[in-house]
Amino acid sequence: MSLRKILLHPDPRLKKACEPVGDIDAGLRKLADDMLETMYDAPGVGLAAPQVGKVLRLFVMDFSAKESEPDPRVLFNPRFSWLSEELNTHEEGCLSIPDIYEDVTRSERVRMVYQNIDGVEVEEEFEGLGATCVQHELDHLDGKLFIDYLSAIKRGMITKKMKKLKKELARDT
Ligand code: NI
């Protein structure tokens, strides 16, 4: 396994609609393993393929509590089969927008159909942090970021801050 570089907002690769993955081969499993390692290293609870520059419909996550056993998950070609009408508001962050946390309102529960690491199609229901996480990550595959749910003014301020951060990081290297 190896660490991949996480793209920071703003980046055109984070705004693209991703392509479905075909056969889940060794290359895709290696990408998923690398993404998990990169996510744990960051650390974060979710990471989508476009965040490491791959325009593919794939994300990884682990929303288990810190004190419990790790529960790494890999979801290929995920899509919703159901979204609850009941909504919930959670504070969200994103590895591509470090140190920014804002409330986002989404469905409280969702059912998702996806292919697991073995290529088997499964349907699973998520609630709580899991529901927030899968909705946030699936948005990434459609080129959408959590700051897109905020007001244009707030989003503009965050983007300005991120551009400054990227300039500083470029200077450091
Ligand atoms: Ni994110």
Side-chain angles (χ1 to χ4, degrees):
M1 291 202 285
S2 49
L3 292 177
R4 305 263 177 151
K5 193 169 171 236
I6 298 175
L7 300 181
L8 296 178
H9 167 74
D11 188 300
R13 288 166 288 182
L14 295 172
K15 302 301 289 176
K16 286 191 176 149
C18 296
E19 297 289 328
V21 306
D23 282 344
I24 293 156
D25 57 13
L28 280 173
R29 283 195 293 271
K30 164 86 166 75
L31 172 62
D33 280 345
D34 287 353
M35 285 170 59
L36 278 168
E37 192 185 3
T38 305
M39 179 191 79
Y40 284 123
D41 178 72
V45 294
L47 186 68
Q51 293 181 276
V52 294
K54 300 289 177 191
V55 192
L56 295 169
R57 301 193 77 80
L58 147 70
F59 68 76
V60 299
M61 62 180 179
D62 183 345
F63 54 85
S64 60
K66 277 194 181 72
E67 60 274 14
S68 59
E69 283 289 297
D71 181 24
R73 288 154 165 280
V74 178
L75 292 84
F76 292 101
N77 297 322
R79 60 182 168 85
F80 295 118
S81 52
W82 176 78
L83 292 135
S84 73
E85 284 178 24
E86 301 83 57
L87 304 174
N88 227 339
T89 300
H90 283 285
E91 194 175 64
E92 297 187 20
C94 182
L95 292 177
S96 293
I97 314 172
D99 299 326
I100 304 285
Y101 301 92
E102 295 287 345
D103 279 350
V104 178
T105 300
R106 300 180 186 272
S107 288
E108 185 182 358
R109 286 177 298 138
V110 299
R111 270 201 291 278
M112 190 165 253
V113 177
Y114 62 91
Q115 287 160 274
N116 66 18
I117 192 79
D118 300 313
V120 178
E121 187 170 278
V122 290
E123 184 175 32
E124 186 174 358
E125 188 163 324
F126 297 95
E127 59 178 11
L129 180 59
T132 296
C133 192
V134 296
Q135 289 174 90
H136 174 117
E137 298 307 330
L138 189 53
D139 271 352
H140 272 299
L141 307 187
D142 295 318
K144 193 167 183 179
L145 302 171
F146 83 96
I147 56 170
D148 293 329
Y149 291 91
L150 309 177
S151 70
I153 292 172
K154 211 167 211 181
R155 188 165 55 250
M157 279 165 52
I158 292 168
T159 300
K160 203 170 154 191
K161 202 182 266 184
M162 288 300 303
K163 279 182 181 163
K164 200 174 155 210
L165 171 71
K166 286 179 78 168
K167 220 178 256 175
E168 284 166 7
L169 290 174
R171 205 182 297 146
D172 287 346
T173 52

